[in-house]
Coordinates of all heavy atoms in Angstrom, one line a residue:
M1 N 11.6 -10.4 43.8 CA 10.4 -11.0 43.4 C 9.7 -10.0 42.4 O 9.6 -8.8 42.7 CB 9.5 -11.3 44.5 CG 10.0 -12.2 45.6 SD 9.4 -13.8 45.6 CE 7.7 -13.7 45.5
A2 N 9.3 -10.5 41.3 CA 8.7 -9.7 40.3 C 7.2 -9.6 40.5 O 6.5 -8.8 39.9 CB 8.9 -10.2 38.9
G3 N 6.6 -10.4 41.5 CA 5.2 -10.3 41.7 C 4.8 -9.2 42.6 O 5.6 -8.3 42.9
F4 N 3.6 -9.2 43.0 CA 3.0 -8.2 43.9 C 3.1 -6.8 43.4 O 3.4 -5.8 44.1 CB 3.7 -8.2 45.3 CG 3.6 -9.6 45.9 CD1 4.8 -10.3 46.1 CD2 2.4 -10.1 46.3 CE1 4.7 -11.6 46.7 CE2 2.4 -11.4 46.9 CZ 3.5 -12.1 47.1
G5 N 2.9 -6.6 42.1 CA 2.8 -5.3 41.5 C 4.1 -4.6 41.2 O 4.2 -3.5 40.7
N6 N 5.2 -5.3 41.4 CA 6.5 -4.8 41.1 C 7.0 -5.4 39.8 O 8.0 -6.2 39.8 CB 7.5 -5.0 42.2 CG 7.1 -4.3 43.5 OD1 6.6 -3.2 43.4 ND2 7.4 -4.9 44.6
G7 N 6.4 -5.1 38.7 CA 6.8 -5.7 37.4 C 8.1 -5.2 36.9 O 8.5 -4.1 37.2
T8 N 8.7 -6.1 36.1 CA 10.0 -5.7 35.5 C 9.9 -4.9 34.2 O 10.8 -4.3 33.8 CB 10.9 -6.9 35.3 OG1 10.2 -7.8 34.5 CG2 11.2 -7.6 36.6
R9 N 8.7 -5.1 33.6 CA 8.5 -4.4 32.3 C 7.6 -3.2 32.5 O 6.5 -3.3 33.1 CB 7.8 -5.3 31.3 CG 8.7 -6.5 30.9 CD 8.2 -7.3 29.8 NE 6.9 -7.9 30.2 CZ 6.1 -8.6 29.4 NH1 6.4 -8.7 28.2 NH2 5.0 -9.1 29.9
G10 N 8.0 -2.0 32.0 CA 7.2 -0.9 32.2 C 6.0 -0.9 31.2 O 4.8 -0.8 31.6
Y11 N 6.2 -0.9 29.9 CA 5.2 -0.9 28.9 C 5.5 -2.0 27.9 O 6.3 -1.7 27.0 CB 5.1 0.5 28.2 CG 4.7 1.6 29.2 CD1 5.7 2.4 29.7 CD2 3.4 1.7 29.6 CE1 5.3 3.4 30.6 CE2 3.1 2.7 30.5 CZ 4.0 3.6 31.0 OH 3.7 4.6 31.8
P12 N 5.0 -3.2 28.0 CA 5.4 -4.3 27.2 C 5.0 -4.1 25.7 O 5.6 -4.6 24.8 CB 4.8 -5.5 27.8 CG 3.6 -5.0 28.6 CD 4.1 -3.6 29.0
R13 N 4.0 -3.3 25.5 CA 3.5 -3.1 24.1 C 3.9 -1.7 23.6 O 3.1 -1.0 23.0 CB 2.0 -3.3 24.0 CG 1.6 -4.7 24.3 CD 0.2 -4.9 24.2 NE -0.2 -6.2 24.6 CZ -0.7 -7.1 23.8 NH1 -0.9 -6.8 22.6 NH2 -1.0 -8.3 24.3
S14 N 5.1 -1.3 23.9 CA 5.5 0.1 23.5 C 5.7 0.1 22.0 O 5.8 -0.9 21.3 CB 6.8 0.4 24.2 OG 7.9 -0.4 23.7
R15 N 5.7 1.3 21.5 CA 5.7 1.5 20.0 C 7.0 0.9 19.4 O 7.0 0.5 18.3 CB 5.6 2.9 19.7 CG 5.3 3.2 18.3 CD 5.0 4.7 18.2 NE 4.7 5.0 16.8 CZ 4.5 6.2 16.3 NH1 4.6 7.2 17.1 NH2 4.2 6.3 15.1
G16 N 8.1 1.0 20.1 CA 9.4 0.5 19.6 C 9.4 -1.0 19.4 O 10.2 -1.5 18.6
R17 N 8.6 -1.8 20.1 CA 8.7 -3.2 20.0 C 7.7 -3.8 18.9 O 8.0 -4.7 18.2 CB 8.3 -3.8 21.3 CG 9.4 -3.6 22.3 CD 9.1 -4.3 23.6 NE 9.0 -5.8 23.3 CZ 8.4 -6.6 24.1 NH1 7.8 -6.2 25.2 NH2 8.3 -7.9 23.8
T18 N 6.5 -3.2 18.8 CA 5.6 -3.8 17.9 C 5.2 -3.0 16.7 O 5.1 -3.6 15.6 CB 4.3 -4.1 18.7 OG1 3.8 -2.9 19.3 CG2 4.5 -5.1 19.8
W19 N 5.0 -1.8 16.8 CA 4.5 -1.0 15.7 C 5.5 0.1 15.3 O 5.2 1.3 15.1 CB 3.2 -0.3 16.0 CG 2.1 -1.3 16.1 CD1 1.6 -1.8 17.2 CD2 1.4 -2.0 15.0 NE1 0.6 -2.8 17.0 CE2 0.5 -2.9 15.6 CE3 1.5 -1.9 13.7 CZ2 -0.3 -3.6 14.9 CZ3 0.6 -2.7 12.9 CH2 -0.3 -3.5 13.5
S20 N 6.8 -0.2 15.1 CA 7.7 0.8 14.7 C 7.5 1.2 13.2 O 7.1 0.4 12.4 CB 9.1 0.3 14.9 OG 9.4 -0.7 13.9
R21 N 7.7 2.4 12.9 CA 7.4 2.9 11.6 C 8.7 2.9 10.7 O 8.7 3.5 9.7 CB 6.8 4.3 11.7 CG 5.5 4.3 12.3 CD 4.9 5.7 12.2 NE 3.6 5.7 12.8 CZ 2.4 5.8 12.2 NH1 2.4 5.9 10.9 NH2 1.3 5.7 12.9
T22 N 9.7 2.3 11.2 CA 10.9 2.3 10.4 C 11.3 0.8 10.2 O 10.7 -0.1 10.8 CB 12.1 3.0 11.1 OG1 12.3 2.3 12.4 CG2 11.8 4.4 11.3
G23 N 12.2 0.6 9.3 CA 12.6 -0.8 9.1 C 12.1 -1.4 7.8 O 11.5 -0.7 7.0
P24 N 12.1 -2.7 7.7 CA 11.8 -3.4 6.4 C 10.3 -3.4 6.2 O 9.8 -3.8 5.1 CB 12.4 -4.8 6.6 CG 12.4 -5.0 8.1 CD 12.7 -3.6 8.7
D25 N 9.4 -3.1 7.2 CA 8.0 -3.3 7.0 C 7.5 -2.3 5.9 O 6.7 -2.7 5.0 CB 7.3 -3.0 8.3 CG 7.6 -4.0 9.3 OD1 7.9 -5.1 9.0 OD2 7.5 -3.7 10.5
R26 N 7.9 -1.1 5.9 CA 7.4 -0.1 4.9 C 8.0 -0.4 3.6 O 7.4 -0.3 2.5 CB 7.8 1.3 5.4 CG 7.1 1.7 6.6 CD 5.7 2.0 6.4 NE 5.1 2.2 7.7 CZ 3.8 2.4 7.9 NH1 3.0 2.4 6.9 NH2 3.3 2.7 9.1
A27 N 9.3 -0.9 3.5 CA 9.9 -1.2 2.2 C 9.2 -2.4 1.6 O 9.0 -2.5 0.4 CB 11.4 -1.5 2.4
T28 N 8.9 -3.4 2.5 CA 8.2 -4.6 2.0 C 6.8 -4.2 1.4 O 6.4 -4.8 0.4 CB 8.1 -5.6 3.1 OG1 9.4 -5.9 3.6 CG2 7.5 -6.9 2.6
L29 N 6.1 -3.4 2.1 CA 4.8 -2.9 1.6 C 4.9 -2.2 0.3 O 4.1 -2.4 -0.6 CB 4.2 -2.0 2.7 CG 2.7 -1.8 2.6 CD1 1.9 -3.1 2.6 CD2 2.3 -0.9 3.7
G30 N 6.0 -1.4 0.1 CA 6.2 -0.8 -1.2 C 6.5 -1.8 -2.3 O 6.0 -1.6 -3.5
I31 N 7.3 -2.8 -2.0 CA 7.6 -3.8 -3.0 C 6.3 -4.6 -3.4 O 6.1 -4.9 -4.6 CB 8.7 -4.7 -2.6 CG1 10.0 -3.9 -2.5 CG2 8.9 -5.9 -3.5 CD1 11.1 -4.6 -1.8
I32 N 5.5 -5.0 -2.4 CA 4.3 -5.7 -2.6 C 3.3 -4.8 -3.5 O 2.7 -5.3 -4.4 CB 3.6 -6.1 -1.3 CG1 4.4 -7.1 -0.6 CG2 2.2 -6.5 -1.5 CD1 3.9 -7.4 0.8
G33 N 3.3 -3.5 -3.2 CA 2.5 -2.6 -4.1 C 3.0 -2.6 -5.5 O 2.2 -2.6 -6.4
A34 N 4.3 -2.5 -5.7 CA 4.8 -2.5 -7.0 C 4.5 -3.8 -7.8 O 4.2 -3.8 -9.0 CB 6.3 -2.2 -7.0
V35 N 4.6 -4.9 -7.1 CA 4.3 -6.2 -7.8 C 2.8 -6.3 -8.1 O 2.4 -6.7 -9.2 CB 4.7 -7.4 -6.8 CG1 4.1 -8.7 -7.3 CG2 6.2 -7.5 -6.7
C36 N 1.9 -5.8 -7.2 CA 0.5 -5.7 -7.6 C 0.2 -4.8 -8.8 O -0.6 -5.1 -9.6 CB -0.3 -5.2 -6.4 SG -0.5 -6.4 -5.0
A37 N 1.0 -3.7 -8.8 CA 0.7 -2.8 -10.0 C 1.2 -3.4 -11.3 O 0.5 -3.3 -12.3 CB 1.5 -1.5 -9.7
V38 N 2.3 -4.1 -11.3 CA 2.8 -4.7 -12.5 C 1.9 -5.9 -12.9 O 1.5 -6.0 -14.1 CB 4.2 -5.2 -12.4 CG1 4.7 -6.0 -13.5 CG2 5.2 -4.0 -12.2
A39 N 1.4 -6.6 -11.9 CA 0.5 -7.7 -12.3 C -0.9 -7.2 -12.7 O -1.5 -7.9 -13.5 CB 0.3 -8.6 -11.0
G40 N -1.2 -6.0 -12.2 CA -2.5 -5.5 -12.6 C -2.6 -5.0 -14.1 O -3.7 -4.9 -14.6
F41 N -1.4 -4.8 -14.7 CA -1.4 -4.5 -16.1 C -1.9 -5.7 -17.0 O -2.3 -5.6 -18.1 CB -0.1 -4.1 -16.6 CG 0.3 -2.6 -16.2 CD1 1.3 -2.4 -15.3 CD2 -0.5 -1.6 -16.7 CE1 1.6 -1.1 -15.0 CE2 -0.2 -0.3 -16.3 CZ 0.8 0.0 -15.5
F42 N -1.8 -6.9 -16.4 CA -2.1 -8.1 -17.2 C -3.4 -8.7 -16.8 O -4.2 -9.2 -17.6 CB -1.0 -9.1 -17.0 CG 0.4 -8.6 -17.5 CD1 1.3 -8.3 -16.6 CD2 0.6 -8.5 -18.9 CE1 2.5 -7.8 -17.1 CE2 1.8 -8.0 -19.3 CZ 2.8 -7.6 -18.4
V43 N -3.7 -8.8 -15.5 CA -5.0 -9.3 -15.0 C -5.6 -8.5 -13.9 O -4.8 -7.9 -13.1 CB -4.8 -10.8 -14.5 CG1 -4.4 -11.8 -15.6 CG2 -3.7 -10.8 -13.4
L44 N -6.8 -8.4 -13.8 CA -7.6 -7.7 -12.7 C -7.1 -6.3 -12.4 O -6.8 -6.0 -11.2 CB -7.6 -8.6 -11.5 CG -8.3 -9.9 -11.6 CD1 -8.0 -10.7 -10.3 CD2 -9.8 -9.7 -11.8
G45 N -6.9 -5.5 -13.4 CA -6.4 -4.1 -13.2 C -7.3 -3.3 -12.3 O -6.8 -2.4 -11.5
A46 N -8.6 -3.5 -12.3 CA -9.5 -2.7 -11.5 C -9.4 -3.1 -10.0 O -9.8 -2.3 -9.2 CB -10.9 -2.9 -12.0
V47 N -8.8 -4.2 -9.7 CA -8.7 -4.6 -8.3 C -7.3 -4.4 -7.9 O -7.0 -3.8 -6.8 CB -9.1 -6.1 -8.1 CG1 -8.8 -6.6 -6.7 CG2 -10.5 -6.3 -8.5
L48 N -6.3 -4.8 -8.7 CA -4.9 -4.7 -8.2 C -4.4 -3.3 -8.3 O -3.4 -2.9 -7.6 CB -4.0 -5.6 -9.1 CG -4.3 -7.1 -8.9 CD1 -3.4 -8.0 -9.8 CD2 -4.0 -7.5 -7.4
G49 N -4.9 -2.4 -9.2 CA -4.5 -1.1 -9.2 C -4.7 -0.3 -8.0 O -3.8 0.3 -7.4
P50 N -6.0 -0.3 -7.5 CA -6.2 0.4 -6.2 C -5.5 -0.3 -5.0 O -5.1 0.4 -4.1 CB -7.7 0.3 -6.0 CG -8.3 0.1 -7.4 CD -7.2 -0.6 -8.1
A51 N -5.3 -1.6 -5.1 CA -4.5 -2.2 -4.0 C -3.1 -1.8 -4.0 O -2.5 -1.5 -3.0 CB -4.6 -3.8 -4.2
A52 N -2.5 -1.6 -5.2 CA -1.1 -1.1 -5.3 C -1.1 0.4 -4.9 O -0.1 0.8 -4.2 CB -0.7 -1.2 -6.8
M53 N -2.1 1.2 -5.2 CA -2.1 2.5 -4.7 C -2.2 2.6 -3.2 O -1.5 3.4 -2.5 CB -3.3 3.3 -5.3 CG -3.1 3.6 -6.7 SD -4.5 4.4 -7.5 CE -4.7 5.8 -6.5
L54 N -3.0 1.7 -2.6 CA -3.1 1.7 -1.1 C -1.7 1.3 -0.5 O -1.3 1.9 0.5 CB -4.2 0.7 -0.7 CG -4.4 0.6 0.8 CD1 -4.9 1.9 1.4 CD2 -5.3 -0.5 1.1
C55 N -1.1 0.2 -1.0 CA 0.2 -0.2 -0.5 C 1.2 0.9 -0.6 O 2.0 1.1 0.3 CB 0.6 -1.5 -1.2 SG -0.3 -2.9 -0.7
G56 N 1.2 1.6 -1.8 CA 2.2 2.6 -2.0 C 2.0 3.8 -1.0 O 2.9 4.4 -0.5
W57 N 0.7 4.2 -0.8 CA 0.4 5.3 0.1 C 0.8 4.9 1.5 O 1.3 5.8 2.3 CB -1.1 5.6 0.0 CG -1.5 6.7 0.9 CD1 -2.1 6.7 2.1 CD2 -1.3 8.1 0.6 NE1 -2.3 7.9 2.6 CE2 -1.8 8.8 1.7 CE3 -0.7 8.8 -0.5 CZ2 -1.8 10.2 1.8 CZ3 -0.7 10.2 -0.4 CH2 -1.2 10.9 0.7
L58 N 0.5 3.7 2.0 CA 0.9 3.3 3.3 C 2.4 3.2 3.5 O 2.9 3.5 4.5 CB 0.2 2.0 3.7 CG -1.3 2.0 3.9 CD1 -1.8 0.6 4.1 CD2 -1.7 2.9 5.0
S59 N 3.1 2.8 2.4 CA 4.5 2.8 2.5 C 5.2 4.1 2.4 O 6.3 4.3 2.9 CB 5.0 1.9 1.3 OG 6.4 1.8 1.4
L60 N 4.5 5.1 1.9 CA 5.0 6.5 1.9 C 4.9 7.2 3.3 O 5.1 8.4 3.4 CB 4.3 7.4 0.9 CG 4.7 7.3 -0.6 CD1 3.8 8.0 -1.5 CD2 6.1 7.8 -0.7
D61 N 4.4 6.5 4.3 CA 4.2 7.0 5.6 C 3.1 8.1 5.6 O 3.1 9.0 6.3 CB 5.4 7.6 6.2 CG 6.5 6.6 6.5 OD1 6.1 5.5 6.8 OD2 7.6 6.9 6.6
R62 N 2.1 7.9 4.7 CA 0.9 8.7 4.6 C 1.2 10.2 4.3 O 0.4 11.0 4.8 CB 0.0 8.5 5.8 CG -0.4 7.1 6.0 CD -1.3 7.0 7.2 NE -1.5 5.6 7.6 CZ -0.8 4.9 8.4 NH1 0.3 5.4 9.0 NH2 -1.1 3.7 8.6
T63 N 2.2 10.5 3.7 CA 2.5 11.9 3.4 C 3.3 12.0 2.1 O 3.9 11.1 1.6 CB 3.3 12.5 4.5 OG1 3.5 13.9 4.2 CG2 4.7 11.9 4.7
W64 N 3.2 13.2 1.5 CA 3.9 13.4 0.2 C 5.2 14.2 0.5 O 6.1 14.2 -0.3 CB 3.1 14.3 -0.7 CG 2.0 13.5 -1.3 CD1 0.7 13.6 -1.1 CD2 2.2 12.5 -2.4 NE1 0.0 12.7 -1.8 CE2 0.9 12.1 -2.7 CE3 3.2 12.0 -3.1 CZ2 0.6 11.1 -3.6 CZ3 3.0 11.1 -4.1 CH2 1.7 10.6 -4.3
S65 N 5.3 14.9 1.6 CA 6.5 15.7 1.9 C 7.5 14.9 2.8 O 7.2 13.9 3.4 CB 6.1 17.0 2.6 OG 5.5 16.6 3.9
G66 N 8.7 15.4 2.8 CA 9.7 14.8 3.6 C 10.8 14.1 2.8 O 10.6 13.8 1.6
A67 N 11.9 13.9 3.4 CA 13.0 13.3 2.7 C 13.0 11.7 2.8 O 13.9 11.1 2.3 CB 14.3 13.8 3.2
S68 N 12.0 11.2 3.5 CA 12.0 9.8 3.8 C 11.2 9.0 2.7 O 10.6 8.0 3.0 CB 11.4 9.5 5.1 OG 10.1 9.9 5.2
R69 N 11.1 9.5 1.5 CA 10.4 8.8 0.5 C 11.2 7.6 0.0 O 12.4 7.6 -0.1 CB 10.2 9.7 -0.8 CG 9.2 10.8 -0.6 CD 9.0 11.5 -1.9 NE 8.1 12.6 -1.7 CZ 7.9 13.5 -2.6 NH1 8.6 13.5 -3.7 NH2 7.0 14.4 -2.4
R70 N 10.4 6.6 -0.2 CA 11.1 5.3 -0.7 C 10.7 5.1 -2.1 O 9.5 5.3 -2.5 CB 10.6 4.2 0.2 CG 11.1 4.3 1.6 CD 10.5 3.3 2.5 NE 11.1 3.3 3.8 CZ 10.6 4.1 4.8 NH1 9.5 4.8 4.6 NH2 11.2 4.1 6.0
P71 N 11.6 4.7 -3.0 CA 11.3 4.7 -4.4 C 10.3 3.6 -4.7 O 9.5 3.8 -5.6 CB 12.7 4.3 -5.0 CG 13.6 3.9 -3.9 CD 13.0 4.5 -2.7
W72 N 10.3 2.5 -4.0 CA 9.3 1.4 -4.3 C 7.9 1.9 -4.0 O 6.9 1.6 -4.7 CB 9.6 0.2 -3.6 CG 10.7 -0.6 -4.1 CD1 11.9 -0.8 -3.5 CD2 10.8 -1.3 -5.4 NE1 12.7 -1.5 -4.3 CE2 12.1 -1.8 -5.4 CE3 9.9 -1.4 -6.4 CZ2 12.5 -2.6 -6.5 CZ3 10.3 -2.2 -7.5 CH2 11.6 -2.7 -7.6
A73 N 7.7 2.7 -3.0 CA 6.4 3.2 -2.6 C 5.9 4.2 -3.7 O 4.7 4.1 -4.1 CB 6.5 4.0 -1.3
L74 N 6.8 5.0 -4.2 CA 6.4 6.0 -5.3 C 6.1 5.2 -6.6 O 5.1 5.6 -7.2 CB 7.5 7.0 -5.5 CG 7.1 8.3 -6.1 CD1 6.0 9.0 -5.3 CD2 8.3 9.2 -6.2
V75 N 6.9 4.2 -6.9 CA 6.6 3.4 -8.1 C 5.3 2.7 -7.9 O 4.5 2.6 -8.9 CB 7.8 2.4 -8.3 CG1 7.4 1.3 -9.3 CG2 9.0 3.1 -8.7
A76 N 5.0 2.1 -6.8 CA 3.7 1.4 -6.6 C 2.5 2.3 -6.7 O 1.5 2.0 -7.3 CB 3.7 0.7 -5.2
F77 N 2.6 3.5 -6.1 CA 1.5 4.5 -6.2 C 1.3 5.0 -7.6 O 0.1 5.0 -8.1 CB 1.8 5.7 -5.3 CG 0.6 6.5 -5.1 CD1 -0.5 6.2 -4.3 CD2 0.4 7.7 -5.8 CE1 -1.6 7.0 -4.1 CE2 -0.7 8.5 -5.7 CZ -1.7 8.1 -4.9
V78 N 2.3 5.3 -8.3 CA 2.2 5.9 -9.7 C 1.7 4.8 -10.6 O 0.7 5.0 -11.4 CB 3.5 6.5 -10.2 CG1 3.4 6.8 -11.6 CG2 3.8 7.7 -9.4
L79 N 2.3 3.6 -10.6 CA 1.8 2.5 -11.5 C 0.4 2.0 -11.1 O -0.3 1.7 -12.0 CB 2.8 1.3 -11.4 CG 4.2 1.5 -12.1 CD1 5.0 0.3 -12.0 CD2 4.0 1.9 -13.6
G80 N 0.1 2.0 -9.9 CA -1.3 1.7 -9.5 C -2.3 2.7 -10.0 O -3.4 2.3 -10.4
A81 N -1.9 4.0 -10.0 CA -2.8 5.0 -10.5 C -3.0 4.8 -12.0 O -4.1 4.9 -12.6 CB -2.3 6.4 -10.2
I82 N -1.9 4.6 -12.7 CA -2.0 4.3 -14.2 C -2.8 3.1 -14.5 O -3.6 3.1 -15.4 CB -0.6 4.3 -14.8 CG1 0.1 5.6 -14.7 CG2 -0.6 3.8 -16.2 CD1 1.6 5.6 -15.1
D83 N -2.6 2.1 -13.7 CA -3.3 0.8 -13.9 C -4.8 1.0 -13.7 O -5.6 0.5 -14.4 CB -2.7 -0.2 -12.9 CG -3.2 -1.6 -13.2 OD1 -3.7 -1.9 -14.3 OD2 -3.2 -2.5 -12.3
T84 N -5.2 1.7 -12.6 CA -6.6 1.9 -12.3 C -7.2 2.8 -13.4 O -8.3 2.5 -13.9 CB -6.7 2.7 -11.0 OG1 -6.1 1.9 -10.0 CG2 -8.2 2.9 -10.6
L85 N -6.5 3.8 -13.9 CA -7.0 4.6 -15.0 C -7.2 3.8 -16.3 O -8.3 3.9 -16.9 CB -6.1 5.8 -15.3 CG -6.5 6.8 -16.3 CD1 -7.8 7.5 -15.8 CD2 -5.4 7.8 -16.6
L86 N -6.3 3.0 -16.6 CA -6.4 2.1 -17.8 C -7.6 1.1 -17.7 O -8.3 0.8 -18.6 CB -5.1 1.4 -18.1 CG -4.0 2.3 -18.7 CD1 -2.7 1.5 -18.8 CD2 -4.4 3.0 -20.0
A87 N -7.7 0.6 -16.5 CA -8.8 -0.4 -16.3 C -10.2 0.3 -16.4 O -11.1 -0.3 -17.0 CB -8.7 -1.0 -14.9
L88 N -10.3 1.5 -15.9 CA -11.6 2.3 -16.0 C -11.8 2.6 -17.4 O -13.0 2.6 -17.9 CB -11.5 3.5 -15.1 CG -11.6 3.2 -13.6 CD1 -11.4 4.5 -12.8 CD2 -12.8 2.5 -13.2
I89 N -10.8 3.0 -18.2 CA -11.0 3.3 -19.6 C -11.4 2.1 -20.4 O -12.3 2.1 -21.2 CB -9.7 4.0 -20.2 CG1 -9.5 5.4 -19.6 CG2 -9.8 4.0 -21.7 CD1 -8.2 6.0 -20.0
W90 N -10.8 1.0 -20.0 CA -11.2 -0.3 -20.7 C -12.6 -0.7 -20.4 O -13.4 -1.1 -21.2 CB -10.2 -1.4 -20.3 CG -10.5 -2.7 -20.9 CD1 -10.3 -3.1 -22.2 CD2 -11.2 -3.8 -20.3 NE1 -10.7 -4.3 -22.4 CE2 -11.3 -4.8 -21.3 CE3 -11.8 -4.0 -19.1 CZ2 -11.9 -6.0 -21.1 CZ3 -12.4 -5.2 -18.8 CH2 -12.5 -6.2 -19.8
L91 N -13.0 -0.5 -19.1 CA -14.4 -0.9 -18.7 C -15.4 0.1 -19.4 O -16.5 -0.4 -19.8 CB -14.5 -0.8 -17.2 CG -13.9 -2.0 -16.5 CD1 -14.0 -1.7 -14.9 CD2 -14.6 -3.3 -16.8
A92 N -15.1 1.3 -19.5 CA -16.0 2.3 -20.2 C -16.1 2.0 -21.6 O -17.2 2.1 -22.2 CB -15.5 3.7 -20.0
G93 N -15.0 1.5 -22.3 CA -15.1 1.2 -23.7 C -15.8 -0.1 -23.9 O -16.4 -0.3 -24.9
A94 N -15.8 -1.0 -22.9 CA -16.5 -2.3 -23.1 C -18.0 -2.1 -22.9 O -18.7 -3.0 -23.2 CB -15.9 -3.3 -22.1
A95 N -18.4 -1.0 -22.3 CA -19.8 -0.9 -22.0 C -20.5 -0.1 -23.1 O -21.7 0.3 -22.9 CB -19.9 -0.1 -20.7
T96 N -19.9 0.1 -24.2 CA -20.6 0.8 -25.3 C -21.5 -0.1 -26.1 O -21.5 -1.3 -25.9 CB -19.6 1.5 -26.2 OG1 -18.7 0.4 -26.8 CG2 -18.7 2.5 -25.5
W97 N -22.3 0.5 -26.9 CA -23.3 -0.3 -27.7 C -22.7 -1.3 -28.7 O -23.2 -2.3 -29.0 CB -24.2 0.6 -28.5 CG -25.2 1.3 -27.6 CD1 -25.1 2.5 -27.0 CD2 -26.4 0.8 -27.1 NE1 -26.2 2.8 -26.2 CE2 -27.0 1.7 -26.3 CE3 -27.1 -0.4 -27.2 CZ2 -28.2 1.6 -25.6 CZ3 -28.3 -0.6 -26.6 CH2 -28.9 0.4 -25.8
G98 N -21.5 -0.9 -29.2 CA -21.0 -1.7 -30.3 C -20.3 -3.0 -29.9 O -19.8 -3.8 -30.7
N99 N -20.2 -3.3 -28.6 CA -19.4 -4.5 -28.2 C -20.3 -5.6 -27.8 O -19.8 -6.6 -27.3 CB -18.5 -4.1 -27.0 CG -17.4 -3.2 -27.4 OD1 -16.8 -3.4 -28.5 ND2 -17.0 -2.3 -26.6
G100 N -21.6 -5.5 -28.0 CA -22.4 -6.7 -27.8 C -22.9 -6.9 -26.4 O -23.3 -8.0 -26.1
L101 N -22.6 -6.0 -25.5 CA -23.1 -6.3 -24.1 C -24.5 -6.0 -23.9 O -25.2 -6.6 -23.1 CB -22.3 -5.4 -23.2 CG -20.8 -5.7 -23.0 CD1 -20.1 -4.7 -22.2 CD2 -20.7 -7.1 -22.4
L102 N -25.1 -5.1 -24.7 CA -26.5 -4.8 -24.6 C -27.3 -5.2 -25.8 O -27.0 -5.1 -26.9 CB -26.7 -3.3 -24.3 CG -26.1 -2.8 -23.0 CD1 -26.2 -1.3 -22.8 CD2 -26.9 -3.5 -21.8

């Protein structure tokens, strides 16, 4: 009988079952970040750039060191940073007097 406090599962929410840090989850997050970064060059760079940086950082396992770097994560982070920088430069250029905003 599994009742009366003699359960068959020790820790049903163990780290290996639900929140493992290996496998396709980190790779998928890196690919999503890279897609956001590439799309950010064409539309909504100020929003998609930081989103790509966040996805890339989370996919890098929150560290820069180690041999477990994934190429999609690094691509997402670098392209997201470039995308964010270009969006900020474009916004700063659009806010000058000669562009008719003021």
Side-chain angles (χ1 to χ4, degrees):
M1 303 256 313
F4 303 113
N6 297 325
T8 58
R9 296 186 297 174
Y11 298 100
R13 294 179 188 247
S14 66
R15 192 172 182 190
R17 290 185 58 199
T18 55
W19 291 100
S20 69
R21 293 186 182 250
T22 60
D25 295 333
R26 298 288 175 183
T28 304
L29 196 59
I31 293 172
I32 289 171
V35 168
C36 284
V38 171
F41 283 116
F42 301 105
V43 292
L44 296 172
V47 175
L48 292 176
M53 287 176 59
L54 179 68
C55 288
W57 181 260
L58 291 175
S59 182
L60 278 173
D61 292 332
R62 298 178 190 95
T63 183
W64 285 106
S65 62
S68 65
R69 287 188 182 166
R70 293 175 174 88
W72 286 111
L74 203 56
V75 166
F77 189 80
V78 170
L79 286 180
I82 292 170
D83 190 21
T84 303
L85 183 67
L86 289 176
L88 290 176
I89 290 172
W90 180 77
L91 285 172
T96 60
W97 286 97
N99 288 325
L101 290 176
L102 296 174

